[in-house]
Every structure is written in structure tokens, then in C-alpha cells.
Amino acid sequence: QVHLMESGGGSVQAGESLGLSCSISGHTDSDFCMAWFRQTPDNEREGVAAICGSTRYKYYHRSVQGRFTIAEDTAWNTLSLQMNRLKPEDTALYYCAAQDTQNGHRWSSPLKYTYWGQGTQVTVSA
């Protein structure tokens, strides 16, 4: 069983930065993906960034490439998302997710992940 808890959300102005953190209790396979997703009321849950595989390769949604950075600290069991140059369209509820089964879904598919946090709100005003 894995428990995930996000923190660090808030309200900022466009162009500012914000960092999110996900506290992880429990363990999954070290090759499995850890990811950040986001969702707005009118849209499906969208993969923002993920770390996957034995090499811990990092994936990013094209809209955040170059602005967001995902990182994991295995010593402290945390997953982070540093968000720079934020835009109003980044406004969403952000979730941390953990894969727990071997499957062929893409890193950006919610179906790949077994465990989810409760989410933390990020609001970016123009």
C-alpha cells in the first residue's frame, strides 16, 4: 500500500514560480513511474511530468517543457515539481501518482497509475 500526499499549491501571478512536493509512504518497484497530473473542472486528467524506468528518464507534457522540472528524492521519499514562468493556463488541481503494476500504458495515461494523492490547487492569475 502506498500513500501519497501533495503540498505546496497556492495562488501566484503569471510569470512567478511555485514548487509542489509529494510525500510518499510505502514502496513500489524502483523502475515504476512516479508522475504529476493536473485537472480542471472542464478537462480530463492530464499528465504533466513523470519519472520512469531504471534510468529514471523524465517525461514532460509539451506545454510545460522547459518551465517545469520533476525530481525525486529517494532518501526522503518525496517527489517534487518545480514550476517556473507559470501561466494562467497552468491553473489546475495537481495530483501526484504512483505506478504499482507492470502495464503498457503511456506515462501520460492515468490508467498507468494505481495510487493517487488528494491533489493540491494551483491558481495563476494574469
Side-chain angles (χ1 to χ4, degrees), residues 4-114:
L4 307 174
M5 182 176 294
E6 303 94 341
S7 61
S11 297
V12 296
Q13 299 285 325
E16 294 183 341
S17 299
L18 203 59
L20 303 183
S21 183
C22 175
S23 175
I24 307 164
S25 63
H27 296 279
T28 62
D29 191 295
S30 59
D31 287 357
F32 284 168
C33 293
M34 295 291 302
W36 287 96
F37 281 73
R38 65 187 180 188
Q39 188 170 21
T40 60
D42 297 332
N43 294 298
E44 295 182 350
R45 199 163 290 193
E46 171 184 79
V48 176
I51 296 179
C52 302
S54 60
T55 61
R56 309 314 283 162
Y57 189 86
K58 298 178 181 181
Y59 297 89
Y60 294 96
H61 189 277
R62 61 185 182 281
S63 68
V64 307
Q65 185 78 41
R67 298 189 297 122
F68 290 13
T69 302
I70 188 172
E72 62 180 355
D73 186 332
T74 55
W76 291 98
N77 274 357
T78 59
L79 182 74
S80 64
L81 184 69
Q82 178 63 36
M83 305 182 293
N84 298 327
R85 303 196 307 277
L86 281 159
K87 303 176 181 180
E89 51 264 43
D90 294 320
T91 295
L93 190 61
Y94 283 71
Y95 296 92
C96 175
Q99 178 189 359
D100 193 42
T101 60
Q102 190 70 41
N103 64 73
H105 295 292
R106 290 175 55 84
W107 73 266
S108 54
S109 169
L111 297 175
K112 190 170 191 67
Y113 302 90
T114 304

